[in-house]
Amino acid sequence: MVLQTTQTKEYLFEVINYLSDICRILKVENTICPSTSLRQQEAKKLALESDLMVVVGSKKSANTTHLAELLKEITKTIHIEDDIELDNYQSLIVKAQNIGVTAGASTPDKIINKVINKLERIN
């Protein structure tokens, strides 16, 4: 079994547990990227301190989508591709006291900075 590098460790263990019950031999190659795993852990910590998380990055990116899914289990989370999409969430943003921002690994700093700047203007 080879797992996509952007999957979570929790999902890896879930799949291993399932397959170990139905396979006689199971060889696992853990190809989860360490930096992706670290980013997820740091984002979870931030989410615990936030009442809204903003995940910036492509909605086609497995890395970014998984990040948003993980954070939704902790706090309100929106997944956007750019600062323009924040317009759709203004009422949610205004109500938030603590907003955390994270991004997928391939999201350019320029886009992240635009999102942060717009959040500061809205709030």
Side-chain angles (χ1 to χ4, degrees), residues 2-4 28 30-31 35 45-46 55 58 63 65 67 69 79-80 84 87 89 98 118:
V2 177
L3 205 65
Q4 181 177 344
V28 178
N30 181 357
T31 59
S35 64
K45 288 178 190 174
L46 182 59
V55 180
S58 173
N63 167 290
T65 302
L67 189 57
E69 289 169 357
H79 179 180
I80 60 171
I84 296 167
D87 294 339
Y89 301 99
N98 297 304
K118 189 161 186 174

Side-chain angles (χ1 to χ4, degrees), residues 5 18 20 30-31 42 49 69 82 84 86 88 94 105 113 120 123:
T5 61
Y18 174 79
S20 64
N30 181 357
T31 59
E42 292 297 322
E49 301 169 0
E69 289 169 357
D82 56 37
I84 296 167
L86 288 174
N88 301 326
V94 170
N113 290 333
E120 288 173 346
N123 227 352

Side-chain angles (χ1 to χ4, degrees), residues 71-85:
L71 300 178
K72 284 179 182 178
E73 295 175 8
I74 299 170
T75 192
K76 288 181 187 172
T77 302
I78 59 174
H79 179 180
I80 60 171
E81 293 186 340
D82 56 37
D83 61 305
I84 296 167
E85 283 187 72

Side-chain angles (χ1 to χ4, degrees), residues 18-34:
Y18 174 79
L19 291 177
S20 64
D21 289 340
I22 60 174
C23 295
R24 286 189 293 175
I25 299 172
L26 177 62
K27 182 177 179 185
V28 178
E29 295 293 330
N30 181 357
T31 59
I32 295 176
C33 174

